[in-house]
Amino acid sequence: MSQKILIVDDEKPIVTLLKYNLEKSGFTTDEAYNGAEAVQKAETNDYDLIVLDLMLPEMDGIEVCKYLRNNKIETPILMLTAKDEEFDKVLGLELGADDYLTKPFSPKEVIARIKAILRRTTKANQNSFSSISVGNITIFPERYEAEMDGKVVTFTRKEFELLYFLAKNKGKVISRDQLLSGVWDYDFVGDTRIVDVHISHLRDKIEPDTKKPIYIKTIRGLGYKMEEPAR
């Protein structure tokens, strides 16, 4: 059964181009031309991935992404934008997009990104997960949940994946580039700010004092390391 992609863009030539190339590559497709239609379709259909333009009528891509994630719709999202602004990039990924591509793009590049996201998602779903504990934090990968002192802590998907990756590598110094590769499965060409932003958000949720972290330590000039807090 072929994987189904929802293409969301208000520019019909782009939708036509993506539809042709995705179907040529073996995917089935559906399309939406504004944010409200995208939300309606995402809530009532099962898609393997959503290609989501940033600039949309009615609801923009950021609003769509935020709405879907807030309503526990975890369909992977590849966000498209005509802007090459770091603010948009960081914000989109913070809100739960899985990857980000700037227009103009080649269909081959879009398909490569889609396959990378789907490959990572499939691998995560197929793995046999068991819980991991670090200090007072217990991570449940199969549920995409973590508890701290027995209480559920809410994370975005990327925050959770970053937390899980660090916990799996507890005690090891992990560079920002390694985190980009391991968590995002994509090389952001030296742009590691997104890692620092997500680390900051994780610390806000798990550290008793973000200025003196006991779980996620910064190793200057190298990266980050997750540790068992001192008793």
Side-chain angles (χ1 to χ4, degrees), residues 3 18 41 88 90 116 123 136 161 166 180 192 219-220 229-230:
Q3 293 168 302
L18 289 173
K41 289 195 169 186
D88 287 331
V90 171
K123 183 179 178 181
N136 295 331
E161 290 175 355
L166 287 166
L180 281 174
T192 57
I219 310 300
R220 292 193 180 279

Side-chain angles (χ1 to χ4, degrees), residues 53 65 84 99 107 109 133 150-151 174 226:
D53 187 40
C65 187
D84 191 14
D99 203 349
E109 186 177 12
S133 293
K151 296 180 180 179
I174 310 295
M226 190 160 201

Side-chain angles (χ1 to χ4, degrees), residues 173-188:
V173 178
I174 310 295
S175 72
R176 290 170 175 82
D177 287 335
Q178 286 175 313
L179 289 170
L180 281 174
S181 177
V183 177
W184 281 267
D185 193 27
Y186 178 67
D187 179 7
F188 279 92

